[in-house]
Amino acid sequence: ATSWKNAYWAKEKGLYAKVFETLKELDKEVDLLAQKLASYNPDALSEMKKALWKGTENWNTLLAQRAAVSGELVLSDFTKKALTKFKK
């Protein structure tokens, strides 16, 4: 890809639930979410966290392996040639 999609495109595709025009609007929404989460049952949140993170016990190893693969790909001749197009 030679261009990046904006936040509104990501929202249209379902990647974002909301897009904010200003940092102040974003901060307000973050505060509202924090207040909402703080009102939830702590035991329920703990169990939900366990369920969501299940199967990620080896992430440190997995992330290191994937970083190594990414590093190799970034250093490939193909990638170097593609990046030279952006220098022009």
Coordinates of all heavy atoms in Angstrom, one line a residue:
A1 N 0.8 -1.2 0.0 CA 0.0 0.0 0.0 C 0.9 1.2 0.0 O 1.9 1.3 0.7 CB -0.9 0.0 1.2
T2 N 0.5 2.2 -0.7 CA 1.2 3.5 -0.8 C 0.5 4.6 -0.1 O 1.0 5.7 0.0 CB 1.5 3.9 -2.3 OG1 0.3 4.0 -2.9 CG2 2.4 2.8 -3.0
S3 N -0.7 4.3 0.4 CA -1.4 5.4 1.1 C -2.0 4.8 2.4 O -2.3 3.6 2.4 CB -2.4 6.1 0.3 OG -3.4 5.1 -0.1
W4 N -2.3 5.6 3.3 CA -2.9 5.1 4.6 C -4.3 5.6 4.7 O -4.6 6.7 4.2 CB -2.1 5.7 5.8 CG -2.5 5.1 7.1 CD1 -3.2 5.7 8.0 CD2 -2.3 3.8 7.6 NE1 -3.5 4.9 9.1 CE2 -3.0 3.7 8.8 CE3 -1.7 2.6 7.1 CZ2 -3.0 2.5 9.6 CZ3 -1.7 1.5 7.8 CH2 -2.3 1.5 9.1
K5 N -5.2 4.8 5.2 CA -6.6 5.2 5.3 C -6.8 6.0 6.6 O -6.0 5.8 7.6 CB -7.5 4.0 5.4 CG -7.3 3.0 4.2 CD -7.7 3.6 2.9 CE -7.6 2.6 1.8 NZ -7.9 3.2 0.5
N6 N -7.7 6.9 6.6 CA -7.9 7.7 7.8 C -8.9 7.1 8.8 O -9.4 6.0 8.6 CB -8.4 9.1 7.4 CG -9.8 9.1 6.8 OD1 -10.6 8.3 7.0 ND2 -10.0 10.1 5.9
A7 N -9.0 7.7 9.9 CA -9.9 7.2 11.0 C -11.3 7.0 10.6 O -12.0 6.1 11.0 CB -9.8 8.1 12.2
Y8 N -11.8 7.9 9.7 CA -13.2 7.7 9.3 C -13.4 6.5 8.4 O -14.4 5.8 8.5 CB -13.6 9.0 8.6 CG -13.7 10.2 9.5 CD1 -12.6 11.1 9.5 CD2 -14.7 10.3 10.4 CE1 -12.6 12.2 10.3 CE2 -14.7 11.4 11.3 CZ -13.6 12.3 11.3 OH -13.6 13.4 12.1
W9 N -12.4 6.2 7.6 CA -12.4 4.9 6.8 C -12.5 3.7 7.8 O -13.3 2.8 7.6 CB -11.2 4.9 5.9 CG -11.1 3.6 5.2 CD1 -11.6 3.3 4.0 CD2 -10.4 2.4 5.6 NE1 -11.3 2.0 3.6 CE2 -10.6 1.4 4.6 CE3 -9.7 2.1 6.7 CZ2 -10.0 0.2 4.7 CZ3 -9.2 0.8 6.8 CH2 -9.3 -0.1 5.8
A10 N -11.6 3.8 8.8 CA -11.6 2.7 9.8 C -12.9 2.5 10.5 O -13.4 1.4 10.8 CB -10.4 2.9 10.8
K11 N -13.6 3.6 10.8 CA -14.9 3.6 11.5 C -15.9 3.0 10.5 O -16.7 2.1 11.0 CB -15.3 5.0 11.9 CG -16.6 5.0 12.7 CD -17.0 6.4 13.1 CE -18.2 6.3 14.0 NZ -19.4 6.4 13.2
E12 N -15.9 3.4 9.3 CA -16.8 2.8 8.3 C -16.7 1.3 8.2 O -17.6 0.6 7.9 CB -16.6 3.5 6.9 CG -17.0 4.9 6.9 CD -16.6 5.6 5.5 OE1 -16.2 4.9 4.6 OE2 -16.7 6.8 5.5
K13 N -15.4 0.8 8.3 CA -15.1 -0.6 8.2 C -15.3 -1.4 9.5 O -15.1 -2.6 9.5 CB -13.7 -0.8 7.7 CG -13.4 -0.1 6.4 CD -14.2 -0.7 5.3 CE -13.9 0.0 4.0 NZ -14.8 -0.2 2.9
G14 N -15.7 -0.6 10.5 CA -16.0 -1.3 11.8 C -14.8 -1.5 12.7 O -14.8 -2.2 13.7
L15 N -13.7 -0.9 12.3 CA -12.5 -1.0 13.1 C -12.5 -0.1 14.4 O -11.9 -0.4 15.4 CB -11.2 -0.7 12.3 CG -11.0 -1.6 11.1 CD1 -9.8 -1.1 10.3 CD2 -10.7 -3.0 11.6
Y16 N -13.2 1.0 14.2 CA -13.4 2.0 15.3 C -14.8 2.1 15.6 O -15.6 2.1 14.7 CB -12.8 3.4 15.0 CG -11.3 3.5 14.8 CD1 -10.8 4.6 14.1 CD2 -10.4 2.6 15.3 CE1 -9.5 4.8 13.9 CE2 -9.1 2.7 15.1 CZ -8.6 3.8 14.4 OH -7.2 4.0 14.2
A17 N -15.2 2.3 16.8 CA -16.6 2.6 17.2 C -16.9 4.1 17.1 O -18.0 4.4 16.7 CB -16.9 2.1 18.6
K18 N -15.9 4.9 17.4 CA -16.1 6.4 17.4 C -14.8 7.0 16.9 O -13.8 6.5 17.1 CB -16.5 6.9 18.7 CG -17.8 6.4 19.3 CD -18.0 7.0 20.7 CE -19.3 6.5 21.3 NZ -19.5 7.0 22.6
V19 N -15.0 8.2 16.3 CA -13.9 9.1 15.9 C -14.1 10.4 16.6 O -15.2 10.9 16.5 CB -13.8 9.2 14.4 CG1 -12.7 10.2 14.0 CG2 -13.5 7.8 13.7
F20 N -13.1 11.0 17.2 CA -13.2 12.3 17.8 C -12.5 13.3 17.1 O -11.4 13.1 16.6 CB -12.7 12.1 19.3 CG -13.5 11.1 20.1 CD1 -13.0 9.8 20.2 CD2 -14.7 11.4 20.6 CE1 -13.7 8.8 20.9 CE2 -15.4 10.4 21.3 CZ -14.9 9.1 21.4
E21 N -13.0 14.5 17.1 CA -12.4 15.6 16.4 C -11.3 16.3 17.2 O -10.4 16.8 16.6 CB -13.5 16.7 16.0 CG -14.5 16.2 15.0 CD -13.9 15.9 13.7 OE1 -13.0 16.6 13.3 OE2 -14.4 15.0 13.0
T22 N -11.4 16.2 18.5 CA -10.5 16.9 19.4 C -10.0 16.0 20.5 O -10.7 15.0 20.8 CB -11.0 18.2 20.0 OG1 -12.1 17.8 21.0 CG2 -11.6 19.1 19.0
L23 N -8.8 16.3 21.0 CA -8.3 15.6 22.1 C -9.2 15.7 23.4 O -9.4 14.8 24.1 CB -6.9 16.0 22.5 CG -6.1 15.3 23.6 CD1 -6.0 13.8 23.2 CD2 -4.7 15.9 23.7
K24 N -9.8 16.9 23.5 CA -10.7 17.1 24.6 C -11.9 16.2 24.6 O -12.3 15.6 25.6 CB -11.2 18.6 24.6 CG -12.0 19.0 25.8 CD -12.3 20.5 25.7 CE -13.1 20.9 26.9 NZ -13.4 22.4 27.0
E25 N -12.5 16.0 23.4 CA -13.6 15.1 23.2 C -13.2 13.6 23.6 O -13.9 12.9 24.2 CB -14.1 15.1 21.8 CG -14.8 16.4 21.4 CD -15.2 16.4 19.9 OE1 -15.2 15.4 19.3 OE2 -15.6 17.5 19.5
L26 N -12.0 13.3 23.1 CA -11.5 11.9 23.4 C -11.3 11.7 24.9 O -11.7 10.7 25.5 CB -10.2 11.7 22.7 CG -9.4 10.4 23.0 CD1 -10.3 9.2 22.6 CD2 -8.1 10.3 22.2
D27 N -10.7 12.7 25.5 CA -10.4 12.6 27.0 C -11.8 12.5 27.7 O -11.9 11.7 28.7 CB -9.7 13.9 27.5 CG -8.2 13.9 27.1 OD1 -7.7 12.8 26.7 OD2 -7.6 15.0 27.1
K28 N -12.8 13.2 27.3 CA -14.1 13.2 28.0 C -14.7 11.7 27.8 O -15.2 11.2 28.8 CB -15.1 14.2 27.3 CG -16.4 14.2 28.0 CD -17.3 15.2 27.3 CE -18.7 15.2 27.9 NZ -19.6 16.1 27.3
E29 N -14.5 11.2 26.7 CA -15.1 9.8 26.4 C -14.3 8.8 27.2 O -14.8 7.8 27.8 CB -15.0 9.5 24.9 CG -15.7 8.2 24.6 CD -17.3 8.4 24.6 OE1 -17.8 9.5 24.7 OE2 -17.9 7.3 24.7
V30 N -13.0 9.0 27.3 CA -12.1 8.1 28.2 C -12.6 8.1 29.6 O -12.7 7.1 30.3 CB -10.6 8.4 28.0 CG1 -9.8 7.6 29.0 CG2 -10.2 8.0 26.6
D31 N -12.8 9.3 30.1 CA -13.2 9.5 31.5 C -14.6 8.8 31.7 O -14.8 8.1 32.8 CB -13.4 11.0 31.9 CG -12.0 11.6 32.1 OD1 -11.0 10.9 32.3 OD2 -12.0 12.9 32.0
L32 N -15.5 8.9 30.8 CA -16.8 8.3 30.9 C -16.7 6.8 30.9 O -17.3 6.1 31.7 CB -17.7 8.7 29.8 CG -18.2 10.1 29.8 CD1 -19.0 10.5 28.5 CD2 -19.1 10.4 31.0
L33 N -15.8 6.2 30.1 CA -15.6 4.8 30.0 C -14.9 4.3 31.3 O -15.3 3.3 31.9 CB -14.7 4.4 28.8 CG -14.4 2.9 28.7 CD1 -15.6 2.0 28.6 CD2 -13.5 2.7 27.5
A34 N -14.0 5.1 31.8 CA -13.3 4.7 33.1 C -14.3 4.7 34.3 O -14.3 3.7 35.1 CB -12.2 5.7 33.4
Q35 N -15.2 5.7 34.3 CA -16.2 5.7 35.3 C -17.1 4.5 35.2 O -17.5 3.9 36.2 CB -17.0 7.0 35.3 CG -16.2 8.2 35.7 CD -17.0 9.5 35.4 OE1 -18.2 9.5 35.2 NE2 -16.3 10.6 35.4
K36 N -17.5 4.2 34.0 CA -18.4 3.0 33.8 C -17.7 1.7 34.2 O -18.3 0.9 34.9 CB -18.7 3.0 32.3 CG -19.8 2.0 31.9 CD -20.1 2.1 30.4 CE -21.2 1.1 30.0 NZ -21.5 1.3 28.5
L37 N -16.5 1.5 33.8 CA -15.8 0.3 34.2 C -15.6 0.2 35.7 O -15.6 -0.9 36.3 CB -14.4 0.2 33.5 CG -14.5 0.0 32.0 CD1 -13.1 0.1 31.4 CD2 -15.1 -1.3 31.6
A38 N -15.3 1.4 36.3 CA -15.1 1.4 37.8 C -16.4 1.0 38.5 O -16.3 0.5 39.7 CB -14.7 2.8 38.2
S39 N -17.5 1.1 37.9 CA -18.8 0.7 38.6 C -19.1 -0.8 38.4 O -20.1 -1.2 39.0 CB -20.0 1.6 38.0 OG -20.3 1.1 36.7
Y40 N -18.4 -1.5 37.6 CA -18.6 -2.9 37.4 C -18.2 -3.7 38.5 O -17.3 -3.3 39.3 CB -17.9 -3.4 36.1 CG -18.5 -2.8 34.8 CD1 -17.8 -3.1 33.6 CD2 -19.7 -2.1 34.7 CE1 -18.3 -2.6 32.4 CE2 -20.1 -1.6 33.5 CZ -19.5 -1.9 32.4 OH -20.0 -1.4 31.2
N41 N -18.7 -4.9 38.6 CA -18.3 -5.9 39.7 C -16.9 -6.3 39.4 O -16.5 -6.8 38.3 CB -19.2 -7.1 39.5 CG -18.9 -8.2 40.5 OD1 -17.8 -8.4 40.9 ND2 -19.9 -8.9 40.9
P42 N -16.0 -6.0 40.4 CA -14.5 -6.3 40.2 C -14.3 -7.8 39.9 O -13.4 -8.2 39.1 CB -13.9 -5.9 41.5 CG -14.9 -5.1 42.3 CD -16.2 -5.4 41.7
D43 N -15.1 -8.7 40.6 CA -14.9 -10.1 40.3 C -15.2 -10.5 38.9 O -14.6 -11.3 38.2 CB -15.7 -11.0 41.3 CG -15.2 -10.8 42.7 OD1 -14.0 -10.6 42.9 OD2 -16.1 -10.9 43.6
A44 N -16.3 -9.9 38.4 CA -16.7 -10.1 37.0 C -15.7 -9.6 36.0 O -15.3 -10.3 35.0 CB -18.1 -9.5 36.7
L45 N -15.1 -8.4 36.3 CA -14.1 -7.9 35.4 C -12.8 -8.8 35.4 O -12.2 -9.0 34.4 CB -13.7 -6.5 35.9 CG -14.7 -5.4 35.6 CD1 -14.2 -4.1 36.2 CD2 -14.8 -5.2 34.1
S46 N -12.5 -9.3 36.6 CA -11.3 -10.2 36.7 C -11.5 -11.5 35.9 O -10.6 -11.9 35.2 CB -11.1 -10.6 38.2 OG -10.0 -11.4 38.3
E47 N -12.7 -12.0 36.0 CA -13.0 -13.3 35.2 C -13.1 -13.0 33.7 O -12.6 -13.8 32.9 CB -14.4 -13.9 35.7 CG -14.3 -14.5 37.1 CD -13.3 -15.5 37.2 OE1 -13.1 -16.4 36.3 OE2 -12.6 -15.5 38.3
M48 N -13.6 -11.8 33.4 CA -13.6 -11.5 31.9 C -12.2 -11.3 31.4 O -11.8 -11.7 30.3 CB -14.4 -10.2 31.8 CG -14.6 -9.8 30.3 SD -15.9 -8.5 30.0 CE -15.2 -7.2 31.0
K49 N -11.3 -10.7 32.2 CA -9.9 -10.5 31.8 C -9.3 -11.9 31.6 O -8.5 -12.1 30.7 CB -9.2 -9.7 32.9 CG -7.7 -9.4 32.5 CD -7.1 -8.6 33.6 CE -5.6 -8.4 33.3 NZ -4.9 -7.6 34.4
K50 N -9.5 -12.8 32.5 CA -8.9 -14.1 32.4 C -9.4 -14.8 31.1 O -8.6 -15.4 30.4 CB -9.4 -15.0 33.6 CG -8.7 -14.7 34.9 CD -9.2 -15.6 36.0 CE -8.8 -15.2 37.3 NZ -9.4 -16.0 38.4
A51 N -10.7 -14.7 30.8 CA -11.2 -15.3 29.6 C -10.6 -14.6 28.3 O -10.2 -15.3 27.4 CB -12.7 -15.1 29.5
L52 N -10.5 -13.3 28.3 CA -9.9 -12.6 27.2 C -8.5 -12.9 26.9 O -8.0 -12.9 25.8 CB -10.2 -11.1 27.3 CG -11.6 -10.7 27.2 CD1 -11.8 -9.2 27.5 CD2 -12.2 -11.0 25.8
W53 N -7.7 -13.1 28.0 CA -6.3 -13.3 27.9 C -5.9 -14.8 27.8 O -4.7 -15.1 27.7 CB -5.5 -12.6 29.0 CG -5.5 -11.2 28.8 CD1 -6.3 -10.2 29.3 CD2 -4.5 -10.4 28.1 NE1 -6.0 -9.0 28.9 CE2 -4.8 -9.1 28.1 CE3 -3.4 -10.8 27.4 CZ2 -4.1 -8.1 27.5 CZ3 -2.6 -9.8 26.8 CH2 -3.0 -8.5 26.8
K54 N -6.9 -15.7 27.9 CA -6.6 -17.1 27.8 C -5.9 -17.5 26.5 O -6.3 -17.0 25.5 CB -7.9 -17.9 28.0 CG -7.7 -19.4 28.1 CD -9.0 -20.1 28.3 CE -8.7 -21.6 28.5 NZ -9.9 -22.4 28.8
G55 N -4.9 -18.3 26.6 CA -4.2 -18.7 25.4 C -3.0 -17.7 25.0 O -2.4 -17.9 24.0
T56 N -2.8 -16.8 25.9 CA -1.7 -15.8 25.5 C -0.5 -16.0 26.4 O 0.4 -15.1 26.5 CB -2.2 -14.3 25.7 OG1 -2.6 -14.1 27.1 CG2 -3.4 -14.1 24.8
E57 N -0.4 -17.1 27.1 CA 0.7 -17.3 28.1 C 2.1 -17.3 27.4 O 3.0 -16.9 28.1 CB 0.5 -18.7 28.7 CG -0.7 -18.8 29.6 CD -2.0 -19.2 28.8 OE1 -1.9 -19.5 27.6 OE2 -3.1 -19.0 29.4
N58 N 2.2 -17.6 26.2 CA 3.5 -17.6 25.5 C 3.7 -16.4 24.6 O 4.5 -16.4 23.7 CB 3.6 -18.9 24.6 CG 2.7 -18.9 23.4 OD1 1.6 -18.3 23.5 ND2 3.0 -19.6 22.4
W59 N 3.0 -15.3 24.9 CA 3.1 -14.1 24.1 C 4.5 -13.5 24.0 O 4.9 -13.0 23.0 CB 2.1 -13.0 24.5 CG 0.8 -13.1 23.8 CD1 0.3 -14.2 23.1 CD2 -0.1 -12.0 23.6 NE1 -0.9 -13.9 22.6 CE2 -1.2 -12.6 22.8 CE3 -0.2 -10.7 24.0 CZ2 -2.3 -11.8 22.5 CZ3 -1.2 -10.0 23.6 CH2 -2.3 -10.5 22.9
N60 N 5.2 -13.6 25.1 CA 6.6 -13.0 25.1 C 7.4 -13.7 24.1 O 8.1 -13.1 23.3 CB 7.2 -13.1 26.5 CG 6.7 -12.1 27.5 OD1 6.1 -11.1 27.1 ND2 6.8 -12.3 28.7
T61 N 7.3 -15.0 24.0 CA 8.1 -15.8 23.0 C 7.5 -15.5 21.6 O 8.3 -15.3 20.7 CB 7.9 -17.3 23.3 OG1 8.4 -17.5 24.6 CG2 8.7 -18.1 22.3
L62 N 6.2 -15.5 21.5 CA 5.6 -15.3 20.2 C 5.9 -13.9 19.6 O 6.2 -13.8 18.5 CB 4.0 -15.5 20.3 CG 3.2 -15.4 19.1 CD1 3.7 -16.5 18.1 CD2 1.7 -15.6 19.4
L63 N 5.8 -12.9 20.5 CA 6.1 -11.5 20.0 C 7.6 -11.4 19.6 O 7.8 -10.8 18.6 CB 5.8 -10.5 21.2 CG 4.3 -10.4 21.5 CD1 4.1 -9.4 22.7 CD2 3.5 -9.8 20.3
A64 N 8.5 -12.0 20.3 CA 9.9 -12.0 19.9 C 10.1 -12.7 18.6 O 10.8 -12.2 17.7 CB 10.7 -12.6 21.0
Q65 N 9.4 -13.8 18.4 CA 9.5 -14.5 17.1 C 9.0 -13.7 16.0 O 9.6 -13.6 14.9 CB 8.8 -15.9 17.2 CG 9.5 -16.9 18.1 CD 8.6 -18.1 18.3 OE1 7.4 -18.1 18.1 NE2 9.2 -19.2 18.9
R66 N 7.8 -13.1 16.2 CA 7.2 -12.3 15.1 C 8.0 -11.0 14.8 O 8.1 -10.6 13.7 CB 5.8 -12.0 15.5 CG 4.9 -13.2 15.4 CD 3.5 -12.9 15.7 NE 2.7 -14.2 15.6 CZ 1.4 -14.3 15.9 NH1 0.8 -13.2 16.3 NH2 0.8 -15.4 15.8
A67 N 8.6 -10.5 15.9 CA 9.5 -9.3 15.7 C 10.7 -9.7 14.8 O 11.1 -8.9 14.0 CB 9.9 -8.7 17.0
A68 N 11.2 -10.9 15.0 CA 12.4 -11.3 14.3 C 12.0 -11.5 12.8 O 12.7 -11.1 11.9 CB 12.9 -12.7 14.8
V69 N 10.8 -12.1 12.5 CA 10.3 -12.2 11.2 C 10.1 -10.8 10.5 O 10.5 -10.6 9.4 CB 9.0 -13.0 11.1 CG1 8.4 -13.0 9.8 CG2 9.3 -14.5 11.6
S70 N 9.5 -9.9 11.3 CA 9.3 -8.6 10.8 C 10.6 -7.9 10.4 O 10.8 -7.2 9.4 CB 8.6 -7.7 11.8 OG 7.3 -8.2 11.9
G71 N 11.6 -8.1 11.3 CA 12.9 -7.5 11.1 C 13.6 -8.0 9.8 O 14.2 -7.3 9.0
E72 N 13.5 -9.3 9.6 CA 14.0 -10.0 8.4 C 13.3 -9.4 7.1 O 14.0 -9.1 6.1 CB 13.9 -11.5 8.4 CG 14.8 -12.1 9.4 CD 14.5 -13.6 9.5 OE1 13.8 -14.2 8.6 OE2 14.9 -14.2 10.5
L73 N 12.0 -9.3 7.2 CA 11.2 -8.8 6.1 C 11.6 -7.3 5.8 O 11.7 -6.9 4.6 CB 9.7 -8.9 6.3 CG 9.3 -10.4 6.3 CD1 7.8 -10.4 6.8 CD2 9.4 -11.0 5.0
V74 N 11.7 -6.5 6.8 CA 12.1 -5.1 6.6 C 13.4 -4.9 5.9 O 13.7 -4.0 5.2 CB 12.0 -4.3 8.0 CG1 12.7 -3.0 7.9 CG2 10.6 -4.2 8.4
L75 N 14.3 -5.8 6.2 CA 15.7 -5.8 5.7 C 15.8 -6.4 4.3 O 16.9 -6.4 3.7 CB 16.7 -6.4 6.7 CG 16.8 -5.6 8.0 CD1 17.7 -6.4 9.0 CD2 17.3 -4.2 7.8
S76 N 14.8 -7.0 3.8 CA 14.8 -7.7 2.5 C 15.1 -6.7 1.4 O 14.7 -5.5 1.5 CB 13.6 -8.5 2.3 OG 12.5 -7.6 2.0
D77 N 15.6 -7.2 0.3 CA 15.9 -6.4 -0.9 C 14.5 -5.8 -1.4 O 14.5 -4.7 -1.8 CB 16.6 -7.2 -2.0 CG 18.0 -7.4 -1.6 OD1 18.6 -6.7 -0.8 OD2 18.6 -8.4 -2.2
F78 N 13.5 -6.6 -1.4 CA 12.2 -6.2 -1.9 C 11.7 -5.0 -1.1 O 11.3 -4.0 -1.7 CB 11.2 -7.3 -1.7 CG 9.8 -7.0 -2.2 CD1 9.5 -7.2 -3.5 CD2 8.9 -6.5 -1.3 CE1 8.2 -6.8 -4.0 CE2 7.6 -6.1 -1.8 CZ 7.3 -6.3 -3.1
T79 N 11.8 -5.0 0.2 CA 11.3 -3.9 1.0 C 12.2 -2.7 0.8 O 11.7 -1.6 0.7 CB 11.3 -4.3 2.5 OG1 10.5 -5.5 2.7 CG2 10.8 -3.2 3.4
K80 N 13.5 -2.9 0.7 CA 14.4 -1.8 0.5 C 14.1 -1.1 -0.8 O 14.1 0.2 -0.9 CB 15.9 -2.2 0.5 CG 16.4 -2.6 1.9 CD 17.8 -3.1 1.8 CE 18.3 -3.6 3.2 NZ 19.6 -4.2 3.1
K81 N 13.8 -1.8 -1.8 CA 13.5 -1.2 -3.1 C 12.2 -0.5 -3.0 O 12.0 0.6 -3.6 CB 13.4 -2.3 -4.2 CG 14.8 -2.9 -4.6 CD 14.6 -4.0 -5.6 CE 16.0 -4.6 -5.9 NZ 15.8 -5.8 -6.7
A82 N 11.2 -1.1 -2.4 CA 9.9 -0.4 -2.2 C 10.0 0.9 -1.4 O 9.4 1.9 -1.8 CB 8.9 -1.3 -1.5
L83 N 10.9 0.9 -0.4 CA 11.1 2.1 0.4 C 11.8 3.3 -0.4 O 11.5 4.4 -0.1 CB 11.8 1.8 1.7 CG 11.0 1.0 2.7 CD1 11.9 0.6 3.8 CD2 9.8 1.7 3.2
T84 N 12.6 2.9 -1.3 CA 13.3 3.9 -2.1 C 12.3 4.8 -2.9 O 12.6 5.9 -3.2 CB 14.4 3.3 -3.1 OG1 13.7 2.4 -4.0 CG2 15.5 2.6 -2.3
K85 N 11.2 4.2 -3.3 CA 10.1 5.0 -4.0 C 9.6 6.1 -3.2 O 9.2 7.1 -3.7 CB 9.0 4.0 -4.4 CG 9.4 3.0 -5.4 CD 8.2 2.0 -5.6 CE 8.6 0.9 -6.5 NZ 7.5 -0.1 -6.7
F86 N 9.6 6.0 -1.8 CA 9.1 7.1 -1.0 C 10.1 8.2 -0.8 O 9.8 9.3 -0.4 CB 8.7 6.5 0.4 CG 7.5 5.7 0.3 CD1 7.6 4.3 0.4 CD2 6.3 6.2 0.3 CE1 6.5 3.5 0.3 CE2 5.1 5.5 0.2 CZ 5.2 4.1 0.3
K87 N 11.4 8.0 -1.1 CA 12.4 9.0 -1.0 C 12.3 10.0 -2.1 O 12.8 11.1 -2.0 CB 13.8 8.3 -1.0 CG 14.1 7.6 0.2 CD 15.5 7.0 0.2 CE 15.9 6.2 1.4 NZ 17.2 5.7 1.3
K88 N 11.7 9.7 -3.2 CA 11.6 10.5 -4.4 C 10.6 11.6 -4.2 O 9.8 11.7 -3.6 CB 11.3 9.7 -5.6 CG 12.5 8.7 -5.9 CD 12.1 7.9 -7.1 CE 13.3 6.9 -7.4 NZ 13.0 6.1 -8.5

